[in-house]
Amino acid sequence: MVALGSDHGGYDLKQKVIGYLKEKEIEYRDFGCESRESCDYPEYGRAAAEAVAKGECDFGIVICTTGIGISIVANKVKGIRCALCSDTVSARLTREHNDANMLAMGAGIVGANLALGIVDTFLNTPFSGEQKHVRRVKAIE
């Protein structure tokens, strides 16, 4: 299951991600926001991150206008490794090398087509399990 969170700046892109998840029959839980009305991203980013940290969701995807603020919020939650990605190479490498459990994107930075490619890459790339990466992830924790 994928935890989702966005603010008003990420709302439209989050709806595109929901469409992708439905198409791929991937379960998700949307922690808000519910519209384009101005709101504060920490509430929604934290809720999605806490669901991942508690094991209620396997992965999380959070979106705001730049992806920066909401990624910072997610990374404040113990056990979260949230990577801000704006290309598929970063999405692949953060899964392979960092075992990232959350993806952040900036709706004002990446378009919908690229964003869905990033999501697809992130969700379908396994952690490499290489000893050097295992060691580094443990050091992060």
Side-chain angles (χ1 to χ4, degrees):
M1 182 174 298
V2 177
L4 299 173
S6 76
D7 69 355
H8 56 284
Y11 177 78
D12 288 337
L13 185 56
K14 183 180 68 173
Q15 297 312 305
K16 299 276 188 189
V17 171
I18 288 171
Y20 164 88
L21 296 173
K22 286 180 177 178
E23 179 184 312
K24 300 292 183 183
E25 299 181 352
I26 298 170
E27 291 183 47
Y28 68 91
R29 187 165 165 208
D30 186 356
F31 289 89
C33 71
E34 305 297 325
S35 73
R36 292 184 199 98
E37 186 176 327
S38 183
C39 63
D40 297 328
Y41 61 81
E43 175 183 350
Y44 307 108
R46 184 176 301 107
E50 287 175 349
V52 174
K54 291 176 187 173
E56 297 169 6
C57 296
D58 303 305
F59 294 105
I61 300 171
V62 290
I63 308 167
C64 67
T65 301
T66 64
I68 297 168
I70 206 161
S71 68
I72 292 170
V73 169
N75 279 313
K76 292 282 187 180
V77 176
K78 185 172 175 51
I80 295 302
R81 291 176 307 283
C82 182
L84 172 56
C85 297
S86 56
D87 62 82
T88 57
V89 173
S90 296
R92 177 177 57 83
L93 292 175
T94 199
R95 286 289 305 128
E96 288 178 353
H97 295 184
N98 311 118
D99 197 17
N101 51 12
M102 290 192 72
L103 167 66
M105 294 187 293
I109 308 300
V110 297
N113 289 340
L114 177 55
L116 296 181
I118 293 167
V119 168
D120 187 69
T121 300
F122 184 85
L123 294 178
N124 291 298
T125 301
F127 178 51
S128 72
E130 286 184 55
Q131 187 56 43
K132 65 182 178 181
H133 298 306
V134 170
R135 183 178 68 248
R136 293 168 185 161
V137 169
K138 285 184 181 182
I140 292 169
E141 293 172 347

